[in-house]
Amino acid sequence: DADGLLSVSAREEHTGVEASIEVRPSYGLDEEEIERMLEASIDHAEEDVEVRMRIEAVIEAEGILTAVDKALAGDAALLEGDEGAHIGAVVAQLRAVMAEVAGDRKRIAELSHELDAVTAPFAQRRIERDLTSALSGRGVDEVGAELGLKEKS
């Protein structure tokens, strides 16, 4: 029936004896099992949060690494001095910590921020180059009009 109960009736044809039984579902948890599960979840809550935070740090780091790899592949000529080696060293450290099974999420976050910092001048040069290229041969009025700052004359 709708409550999950199964009613079974049987009759022995030779003797005419009848019997019936109601079978109730045996699934579900008793109080002791529920208590054990709650205690286990409380005991492991801190560990679960740490695992989640590590996963989030790895995802963020992977995004940064992908962007850096793409930028270096397309614009390595814009690197100055030992900038490429410095970026490469931080990238290698970050990948090594991420590869560790129990890599420290705080270290992953620190290296992600360091990678952001060491790539900032390179990123700035890329932006300036792109802006110069986009504005090349165009007057201030024309650019202003495109940006909606003033009417084109």
Side-chain angles (χ1 to χ4, degrees), residues 77-97:
L78 293 176
L79 293 170
E80 294 180 352
D82 64 346
E83 192 174 43
H86 193 166
I87 292 170
V90 177
V91 165
Q93 289 176 13
L94 180 54
R95 288 186 200 272
V97 174

Side-chain angles (χ1 to χ4, degrees), residues 6-136:
L6 174 64
S7 298
V8 180
S9 301
R11 183 172 57 91
E12 167 54 61
E13 288 195 22
H14 292 288
T15 62
V17 176
E18 290 186 22
S20 64
I21 187 170
E22 189 173 86
V23 180
R24 297 178 184 273
S26 62
Y27 58 86
L29 303 172
D30 62 30
E31 291 296 320
E32 187 176 303
E33 290 172 314
I34 293 170
E35 188 175 328
R36 266 197 329 261
M37 291 174 73
L38 284 172
E39 288 173 1
S41 69
I42 291 169
D43 290 344
H44 297 289
E46 189 175 317
E47 179 184 325
D48 293 344
V49 168
E50 185 64 30
V51 168
R52 179 183 174 151
M53 291 175 73
R54 183 188 187 284
I55 290 169
E56 290 173 355
V58 167
I59 290 169
E60 181 180 344
E62 286 172 345
I64 293 168
L65 287 169
T66 299
V68 169
D69 288 344
K70 184 177 177 182
L72 290 172
D75 294 323
L78 293 176
L79 293 170
E80 294 180 352
D82 64 346
E83 192 174 43
H86 193 166
I87 292 170
V90 177
V91 165
Q93 289 176 13
L94 180 54
R95 288 186 200 272
V97 174
M98 289 171 56
E100 296 171 4
V101 174
D104 181 9
R105 74 158 171 93
K106 290 179 183 174
R107 185 72 179 134
I108 292 170
E110 288 170 2
L111 288 168
S112 294
H113 292 297
E114 183 177 344
L115 186 55
D116 274 342
V118 300
T119 57
F122 172 59
Q124 183 66 35
R125 285 191 297 280
R126 293 180 72 223
I127 291 168
E128 289 170 359
R129 185 229 23 228
D130 292 345
L131 282 172
T132 300
S133 175
L135 298 175
S136 180

